Amino acid sequence: MVADPRAPGAARPSRLNQPRAALVDEAFDGTPCRVNRQPVVAVREEWRVVDRWWTEEPVSRRYFEVVLESGQNVVVFRDEERGGWYSQRGA
């Protein structure tokens, strides 16, 4: 028997495309050159998000959409408030 996800008390599915910690090697300018030990062959796009600076939990991130040697598109970002790199699947 499969549980009804709409039932009271049912576990909610985790957020889709939730960021995960990533192992990123950076070039001299801060752009990723390896993601999870895979070489980056192209940086397709770069952007910054600065938001909620007026709160106790500001967001400051530098995002990159990269293509790995395997052909996989990955979005990685450096969390400039807390430190560390994270990855998300690209389109």
Side-chain angles (χ1 to χ4, degrees), residues 24-77:
V24 175
D25 294 332
E26 300 175 34
F28 70 93
D29 62 355
T31 60
C33 56
R34 293 178 71 81
V35 175
N36 296 328
R37 297 188 172 93
Q38 291 190 56
V40 171
V41 295
V43 175
R44 296 184 62 191
E45 191 172 359
E46 176 184 350
W47 67 98
R48 287 189 181 271
V49 172
V50 178
D51 196 13
R52 298 189 299 195
W53 50 267
W54 61 92
T55 71
E56 292 182 19
E57 294 186 32
V59 174
S60 180
R61 297 176 177 171
R62 185 177 178 194
Y63 282 85
F64 299 88
E65 181 181 354
V66 299
V67 179
L68 303 179
E69 189 174 61
S70 66
Q72 180 182 15
N73 283 356
V74 177
V75 174
V76 293
F77 66 88

